[in-house]
Amino acid sequence: MSQTWTVLRQEKQPKEIHVASALKPTAINGTEPKDATDNALTIKASRVDLGFWECSPGTFKTARDGVNEVILVLEGRATLVSDTGERVDHKAGDMVLIPNGWTGVWEIHEHFKKQYITISAEALPPQ
């Protein structure tokens, strides 16, 4: 059985973002990853953020605390290593769900760009 994916494309390319000069404070193993974020859209009523993120090679700790994140890998290669030891490699074209509560390490092997959408795990206020 094959899966069908719906791909939404923008007419224009995302604006170029340049990797920041500051190192990630959670870098480990002697690496020096640098990253940058361009938040393209925030919908406060639904607690949804959409944007682009990129990072230079390196290794750093991370956690998804309070949000579920869906990413589309645009460029590069990386491995997500959970605190339980599960390793999953990702490359351009992969779509990935990083659930609320996930903790682990990003291993960025080559310059990595992703488009992301984060959805707050908090309950929405009654309407």
Side-chain angles (χ1 to χ4, degrees), residues 4-65:
T4 301
W5 290 87
T6 300
V7 178
L8 303 176
R9 300 195 196 293
Q10 352 183 110
E11 290 300 314
K12 60 181 185 170
Q13 291 292 326
K15 69 183 180 182
E16 189 68 26
I17 59 176
H18 300 282
V19 173
S21 60
L23 296 176
K24 290 196 69 62
T26 56
I28 59 175
N29 298 334
T31 63
E32 298 182 355
K34 299 175 184 176
D35 72 346
T37 301
D38 178 21
N39 190 344
L41 171 71
T42 298
I43 304 172
K44 295 212 183 283
S46 64
R47 295 182 171 98
V48 171
D49 289 311
L50 170 69
F52 299 91
W53 178 84
E54 63 181 290
C55 188
S56 64
T59 304
F60 57 92
K61 290 180 166 280
T62 189
R64 291 297 160 264
D65 187 20

Side-chain angles (χ1 to χ4, degrees), residues 25-113:
T26 56
I28 59 175
N29 298 334
T31 63
E32 298 182 355
K34 299 175 184 176
D35 72 346
T37 301
D38 178 21
N39 190 344
L41 171 71
T42 298
I43 304 172
K44 295 212 183 283
S46 64
R47 295 182 171 98
V48 171
D49 289 311
L50 170 69
F52 299 91
W53 178 84
E54 63 181 290
C55 188
S56 64
T59 304
F60 57 92
K61 290 180 166 280
T62 189
R64 291 297 160 264
D65 187 20
V67 297
N68 293 291
E69 181 179 20
V70 176
I71 69 170
L72 175 62
V73 180
L74 301 173
E75 292 179 14
R77 290 183 317 104
T79 302
L80 282 171
V81 184
S82 73
D83 283 347
T84 62
E86 178 185 15
R87 299 178 62 85
V88 182
D89 295 321
H90 302 292
K91 63 184 182 327
D94 289 352
M95 183 170 280
V96 182
L97 168 65
I98 306 172
N100 178 40
W102 186 92
T103 57
V105 171
W106 273 101
E107 295 176 352
I108 308 293
H109 307 298
E110 55 188 52
H111 192 90
F112 191 83
K113 279 187 181 182

